[in-house]
Amino acid sequence: MVSPTSVAICDEHDRMPVHNDENTYTVNHEASATLDSTKAFEGPEKLLEVWFAPDRYNLPSSMAHDGLKSVPREMWEDMLSLVHCKVLSFIGTAEMDAYLLSESSMFVFPHKLILKTCGTTTLLAGLPRLLDIACVHTGYPAGIEPWRVFYSRKNFMFPDRQKHPHRSWKDEVKYLDAHFSNGSAYMVGRMNSDHHWYLYSAKRDAASSLNADPVVADGRFEDETLEIIMTGLDQEKAAQFYNDRIISETTSDCDASSASSDDLDPGHAGGAEITTKCGLAKLYPFSRIDSFSFSPCGYSANGVTDATHNYFTVHVTPELGCSYASFETNVPSSVAGMNSLDVVSYVVGIFGPSQFSVTMFETRATKNSFVNACTERSPPAEIPGYTRIDRIVYELDEYDLVFLAFEKTEA
């Protein structure tokens, strides 16, 4: 599924080598071969976005030319150890570094970082280290808050099993407020429904010497992110995310000199097979996809498009009783010859959930009709086979946020 121009393999005593050049693919065979997801239980992810500038062309003058992409991989691995997850593999392009993790994904751009982790990971525990890395290694001015920060998640299935600071939304907001001075917290959707969604956003003070708001004011700042959160997966569709692979106690015996795009460990080879069979590979056929099949069940994938900043990521925990899948992308729907509702319909068709929610973050400068299609002034957004039970629209600074919730229509 991946067609890398170079592949590097690590043994159990080495860190992943530093490859920040474009079109690089790296596999951590030690972590991949010994990863056991038998006890995984909490599918819904915690999602953090930290922006240090609106784009790579408006970085503070003190920052390294490549911004966060200049950070050596071992520094990110140290940060991820605080979050309690490991790097399984990596795709590097000119615009971003995409990390497939033992618990979801991380995307590093010159101007921002996106970290998404599931289970009982302590995502926010890595935030101080992230801010420190930005200042100490890339030259981001000390004492200046990031340009934008977003933290969000669905309500947890098993909140009592979470660890500090994720035991409650109140605790998470308190932790974030300790780091950012202009934060706002929201709960979106029905409290008595399985699909309500939490959001925290913060922005740099407009009086800051690093004020980048002119980039927004003159309409040059375009950004959109679509996220689909699904529960109650159709069990026949969920079955394709199981495998009978035996967990290895040792690492792969292949080395860098013999590695090729076909020389993948069972987890990555199984992931590539699932990517094709489930239909995900057809959604954005122009992307490179790095995927992993967990044992005994579960699936993760990162997709990137070369020479652009576009990505998508998918994560699946198919266990009966707590089945879950998520899809997130910033690929403009028009690039794939579809509108956003077409993308939602396609993804939902892969998993057949009994309930799902859709969130779309979109700057007002973004030329996408999704927000207009979902407001009360327009015809309702429809997904075949489902009934919409919620439609909520927020205006958040330069963004519009649309939240939709659906339930499967009874036959």
Side-chain angles (χ1 to χ4, degrees), residues 2 8 36 64 66 102 111 193-194 246 263 272 276 298 338 387 398:
V2 178
D36 185 353
D66 281 341
S102 55
H111 62 292
S193 166
D194 181 55
I246 303 299
D263 197 4
T276 299
M338 300 183 285
T387 300
E398 65 272 11

Side-chain angles (χ1 to χ4, degrees), residues 279-295:
L280 184 63
K282 295 180 180 179
L283 179 60
Y284 301 123
F286 45 80
S287 61
R288 292 193 295 143
I289 303 175
D290 177 20
S291 52
F292 192 88
S293 172
F294 295 85
S295 184

Side-chain angles (χ1 to χ4, degrees), residues 33-69:
T34 59
L35 183 64
D36 185 353
S37 295
T38 303
K39 296 180 181 180
F41 64 91
E42 183 71 71
E45 301 99 342
K46 312 163 184 84
L47 174 59
L48 176 69
E49 289 194 28
V50 182
W51 295 60
F52 294 92
D55 54 45
R56 68 178 303 163
Y57 305 106
N58 286 277
L59 294 172
S61 59
S62 60
M63 285 190 77
H65 173 71
D66 281 341
L68 298 176
K69 267 179 62 54

Side-chain angles (χ1 to χ4, degrees), residues 38-275:
T38 303
K39 296 180 181 180
F41 64 91
E42 183 71 71
E45 301 99 342
K46 312 163 184 84
L47 174 59
L48 176 69
E49 289 194 28
V50 182
W51 295 60
F52 294 92
D55 54 45
R56 68 178 303 163
Y57 305 106
N58 286 277
L59 294 172
S61 59
S62 60
M63 285 190 77
H65 173 71
D66 281 341
L68 298 176
K69 267 179 62 54
S70 68
V71 175
R73 198 169 306 160
E74 59 265 24
M75 285 191 178
W76 295 132
E77 290 183 307
D78 288 341
M79 182 197 74
L80 291 171
S81 69
L82 301 173
V83 179
H84 298 101
C85 58
K86 296 180 179 180
V87 175
L88 299 180
S89 48
F90 161 95
I91 300 178
T93 76
E95 296 292 328
M96 78 182 89
D97 296 334
Y99 293 83
L100 197 64
L101 306 179
S102 55
E103 283 81 10
S104 301
S105 299
M106 181 172 74
F107 298 88
V108 180
F109 302 78
H111 62 292
K112 68 178 179 179
L113 180 143
I114 301 172
L115 179 57
K116 189 170 192 172
T117 66
C118 62
T120 56
T121 51
T122 51
L123 184 152
L124 291 179
L127 177 59
R129 180 64 177 138
L130 164 60
L131 299 176
D132 181 67
I133 289 173
C135 292
V136 174
H137 184 80
T138 75
Y140 186 79
I144 302 295
E145 294 187 0
W147 183 66
R148 295 288 187 273
V149 176
F150 300 100
Y151 173 74
S152 63
R153 64 171 175 85
K154 177 190 176 297
N155 53 301
F156 291 131
M157 294 180 177
F158 308 100
D160 57 308
R161 301 182 188 178
Q162 293 295 322
K163 301 172 183 177
H164 179 76
H166 299 286
R167 293 194 178 101
S168 71
W169 179 239
K170 181 179 179 180
D171 287 348
E172 290 171 313
V173 171
K174 181 179 179 180
Y175 189 91
L176 288 161
D177 276 345
H179 290 86
F180 308 113
S181 58
N182 291 304
S184 300
Y186 306 86
M187 195 286 293
V188 184
R190 304 181 187 186
M191 285 293 293
N192 60 348
S193 166
D194 181 55
H195 278 266
H196 55 273
W197 189 70
Y198 298 99
L199 169 68
Y200 181 96
S201 66
K203 61 183 296 185
R204 184 191 298 151
D205 192 322
S208 167
S209 59
L210 293 181
N211 182 22
D213 286 343
V215 178
V216 176
D218 66 11
R220 286 183 287 143
F221 178 52
E222 295 188 8
D223 180 44
E224 62 178 275
T225 302
L226 172 69
E227 185 177 28
I228 309 169
I229 296 175
M230 298 162 277
T231 57
L233 308 186
D234 178 274
Q235 284 305 291
E236 288 189 8
K237 296 179 182 295
Q240 61 192 321
F241 301 101
Y242 282 80
N243 66 73
D244 55 4
R245 188 172 74 251
I246 303 299
I247 299 298
S248 172
E249 295 299 329
T250 60
T251 61
S252 169
D253 59 3
C254 66
D255 58 32
S257 62
S258 63
S260 70
S261 60
D262 297 321
D263 197 4
L264 300 176
D265 57 77
H268 285 91
E273 182 178 359
I274 290 174
T275 300

Side-chain angles (χ1 to χ4, degrees), residues 392-408:
I392 301 170
V393 180
Y394 276 84
E395 291 185 0
L396 303 170
D397 297 318
E398 65 272 11
Y399 283 89
D400 287 322
L401 165 65
V402 175
F403 173 88
L404 305 173
F406 294 84
E407 290 182 349
K408 184 171 285 187

Side-chain angles (χ1 to χ4, degrees), residues 311-333:
Y311 71 91
F312 72 90
T313 185
V314 178
H315 303 284
V316 186
T317 52
E319 295 92 332
L320 182 65
C322 57
S323 59
Y324 173 89
S326 69
F327 171 88
E328 178 188 340
T329 187
N330 71 343
V331 178
S333 55

Side-chain angles (χ1 to χ4, degrees), residues 314-377:
V314 178
H315 303 284
V316 186
T317 52
E319 295 92 332
L320 182 65
C322 57
S323 59
Y324 173 89
S326 69
F327 171 88
E328 178 188 340
T329 187
N330 71 343
V331 178
S333 55
S334 58
V335 172
M338 300 183 285
N339 62 44
S340 296
L341 292 178
D342 292 333
V343 175
V344 173
S345 295
Y346 188 93
V347 172
V348 167
I350 293 175
F351 300 100
S354 56
Q355 307 93 22
F356 70 93
S357 63
V358 176
T359 58
M360 168 65 92
F361 260 110
E362 171 179 304
T363 56
R364 295 185 189 98
T366 302
K367 311 221 173 10
N368 189 321
S369 61
F370 187 83
V371 170
N372 289 334
C374 295
T375 63
E376 294 293 345
R377 298 181 297 277

